[in-house]
Amino acid sequence: MSTWDDHSLLVTMQSDLATANTTDAEFFPIKGGIPKVAFNTEVTELELMTGVVGAGNERLVGSRRGTIGFSMPLEGLVSGYDPTNEDPGGTPVGLEVMPLWFLMLANAMGSNSSAIASVANFVRGLGVSVSQYTSGGMMSGTASEITCDNAAASNKIDVGQLVVAALSATSLVPQIGFAKTKVGQVVTLFEAAKNNVNDAAAHLYGTGTAYASSEITSTQPLGFRWVGPATESCYDLIGAYCSSAKITWNRGEVPTIEFAYSFYDFEINKADGGLQVPGSYARIPQIVGSNNGYVTIDTAQKCGLESCTWEWAAGELRENGCHGADNGVTSISVLKPRVKMSFNTLYDTADAVLDAAGGAATIGQHRWQAALELGSRVSVGVYVGSVVGKIFALLMPSGVISAAPQISMRGEQVAYQIELEAGSYTADSTDTAETSADSPLDSIARVGLG
C-alpha cells in the first residue's frame, strides 16, 4: 500500500474519440509541470417521495467528462541533433527529432492533420510542415531574402515555413525568418532577419512549422495517462481535445507553453502505472539579444514590450452525440478557433499620430487607437536561437486590434495594453506546387522550430 506523491504524464493519439489506446509502447512521457486534473460527472437529482423523513434525494449518474492542464518550458529539437544526418519529420538517428509539445500544438492548430494516420505518424511529425537540410544550399542573400544554389535546394522549402541559414550548426548568427514568396531560386522572407548570412558556403537547415489551417476539422483525439510510482496508480484520460495553448514570450525569460484539454471519458487503470523518464530535447533559450532574440512589429524590431503572450484557443468544442456511442459522444468538432497575441508596450514620443484618413498628423489618434478605428493590420514576429536545434519563432502576419487599447502605468511610465487577433492573410506566393491545403502558405499563424 502506498500513496501517490510523484507524477508522470504520458500522451498518445487515439483512433477515435471513444477508443482508448491500450498499447503501452505508444504512450510518450511529457516533460512539464504536475498536471491539474478535474473530473466532472453529470448528476441529476430527483426529489422523490421516499416515505422517510430526512432521507436524501436519489441521484441519476450520467456521462463522465474532465479537464487537464499543464505547462512546459519550450523545447527545441532532439538533444544531439545532427542536421546533416536527420531532418524534422524524417527518420531519426535515435529519439524522434521534434518534441512532443510542438506535435501537440500542430495537432491543435490543424496544420496538416489529414497526413496523420497512426501514432507513429503523430510522433514523427507528419502533421507538421517540414523542410530539409541542404549542404551549402545558399548562393547569396540579403537580410530579407535567400538565393538558393539551385531549384533542388529551393524546392525543399515551402512558402510559409520557417527558414534557417547558417555557416554551421553552431554558428551564433543564423539567419531566421518565414518564407513569404518563392520565385525560382529566390526565397523572400516575410520580414528582414536580424542577421544576414550572405555566404555561398552557408547551409540551409531543416525546420518544422506548425500552423493554423482548415484541417482543424481533422484534429486527432489524444489520450493521456496520468501515472504515479506504483503500477496501480494510473488514470486513463480518454478522447482529449485541446481547448487552448498559450505561449509566453517575455524578454529575458525561457518561453513556456500552457496547454488546456477537455477529455470525454476517464478510467482508473491498476495495470499501467509507474513513472517514466521523458526524452531529452534541447531547451529553447531565454529571449535576449545574446541568444539572437528579437521581436518585430510591422516588420521593424521593437523594444519595450512586457506581459507578452500568444494563444491558440478553440472557440467551441461541440459534442456530436449518439445514444449508441460510448459515453454518448461519437466525435468532437473544433469550431471557430482563434489565435490571439497580447503585450504591453511603452509610449514613445516617436510613435505615429494619425488623422481620420490614416495620414500622419500632429493632432489625432495614437497609432494603436488609429489601428483599431481604421481596421489597420499589424504583424508581430518573435525569434530566438543562436544554435541550430534551439531555434524558435512565431509569426502573426496580419493581426487585427481586437479590443480598445488601454492605458496602463508601468511604474511611472505610460504604456498601452494591446490585444490582437489573427486576421485573414493572402500575401504569400510560390512558383512551385505547395498550396494552402498542404503547407503554411497564407496561414494566419505559424510557430517554427529549427
Side-chain angles (χ1 to χ4, degrees):
M1 174 177 160
S2 62
T3 57
W4 186 340
D5 300 307
D6 296 296
H7 308 265
S8 287
L9 183 66
L10 292 76
V11 67
T12 189
M13 192 188 80
Q14 295 182 187
S15 59
D16 58 58
L17 178 74
T19 306
N21 190 337
T22 59
T23 305
D24 294 346
E26 293 185 343
F27 281 83
F28 301 88
I30 291 169
K31 185 179 290 185
I34 296 174
K36 297 178 181 178
V37 179
F39 295 139
N40 179 32
T41 304
E42 294 180 3
V43 177
T44 301
E45 184 174 339
L46 298 180
E47 295 187 22
L48 304 177
M49 294 180 290
T50 64
V52 177
V53 175
N57 293 326
E58 184 175 344
R59 274 78 172 176
L60 299 182
V61 180
S63 58
R64 296 176 293 272
R65 301 285 192 278
T67 60
I68 181 172
F70 52 92
S71 60
M72 305 169 68
L74 294 196
E75 295 175 314
L77 304 183
V78 66
S79 293
Y81 172 59
D82 178 5
T84 67
N85 199 35
E86 51 188 342
D87 282 309
T91 303
V93 173
L95 292 174
E96 298 291 347
V97 173
M98 290 182 283
L100 286 171
W101 76 265
F102 190 63
L103 307 179
M104 293 161 63
L105 180 62
N107 173 261
M109 294 175 72
S111 295
N112 191 17
S113 290
S114 62
I116 303 174
S118 65
V119 177
N121 292 163
F122 170 67
V123 296
R124 182 62 48 86
L126 297 193
V128 174
S129 180
V130 296
S131 65
Q132 293 80 41
Y133 172 79
T134 303
S135 178
M138 174 184 270
M139 177 185 293
S140 63
T142 67
S144 299
E145 67 180 34
I146 292 171
T147 300
C148 301
D149 274 351
N150 48 45
S154 63
N155 287 347
K156 293 181 180 180
I157 300 170
D158 282 350
V159 169
Q161 288 177 343
L162 180 65
V163 180
V164 175
L167 283 169
S168 72
T170 56
S171 169
L172 301 180
V173 286
Q175 186 168 346
I176 306 170
F178 288 91
K180 181 178 181 180
T181 66
K182 186 167 63 173
V183 179
Q185 297 165 220
V186 180
V187 177
T188 302
L189 304 181
F190 179 84
E191 54 196 349
K194 183 176 183 178
N195 301 317
N196 174 17
V197 175
N198 189 24
D199 194 313
H203 314 294
L204 301 177
Y205 287 91
T207 67
T209 303
Y211 58 102
S213 81
S214 61
E215 292 201 17
I216 195 76
T217 56
S218 299
T219 297
Q220 302 289 330
L222 303 183
F224 291 97
R225 274 186 180 168
W226 172 36
V227 301
T231 301
E232 296 82 2
S233 302
C234 173
Y235 262 104
D236 287 324
L237 312 179
I238 302 164
Y241 282 81
C242 187
S243 54
S244 69
K246 179 183 287 188
I247 294 173
T248 59
W249 46 278
N250 293 315
R251 63 177 176 85
E253 296 180 7
V254 172
T256 62
I257 187 166
E258 182 176 355
F259 283 106
Y261 282 83
S262 294
F263 53 88
Y264 293 86
D265 202 354
F266 60 87
E267 299 173 332
I268 195 162
N269 173 351
K270 298 189 71 173
D272 291 311
L275 302 179
Q276 293 196 28
V277 179
S280 180
Y281 288 80
R283 183 67 49 81
I284 298 298
Q286 59 177 307
I287 305 177
V288 293
S290 58
N291 290 326
N292 199 39
Y294 61 103
V295 173
T296 63
I297 293 181
D298 288 338
T299 73
Q301 291 189 36
K302 180 69 174 176
C303 296
L305 304 181
E306 289 191 356
S307 302
C308 305
T309 64
W310 175 100
E311 181 177 14
W312 177 92
E316 179 186 352
L317 296 178
R318 178 181 294 173
E319 297 182 13
N320 303 311
C322 175
H323 287 74
D326 290 356
N327 222 28
V329 182
T330 56
S331 63
I332 299 295
S333 297
V334 185
L335 303 176
K336 299 180 181 179
R338 295 291 185 268
V339 179
K340 301 178 181 181
M341 295 188 82
S342 67
F343 51 85
N344 182 286
T345 179
L346 289 173
Y347 165 83
D348 191 313
T349 55
D351 289 347
V353 173
L354 305 176
D355 61 24
T362 301
I363 298 175
Q365 295 303 323
H366 185 271
R367 64 161 296 185
W368 293 115
Q369 181 68 23
L372 172 69
E373 295 181 8
L374 297 170
S376 304
R377 298 303 179 96
V378 180
S379 68
V380 182
V382 182
Y383 307 87
V384 68
S386 54
V387 177
V388 170
K390 300 181 181 180
I391 291 171
F392 163 76
L394 60 82
L395 176 67
M396 180 184 285
S398 183
V400 179
I401 302 288
S402 58
Q406 297 297 315
I407 290 290
S408 63
M409 301 302 293
R410 194 186 299 175
E412 297 180 350
Q413 295 177 299
V414 173
Y416 296 90
Q417 184 61 39
I418 305 302
E419 308 287 338
L420 294 170
E421 193 170 83
S424 59
Y425 174 79
T426 57
D428 291 345
S429 64
T430 183
D431 64 354
T432 49
E434 70 269 30
T435 70
S436 58
D438 59 13
S439 77
L441 185 147
D442 284 339
S443 175
I444 63 174
R446 307 135 194 210
V447 179
L449 291 179

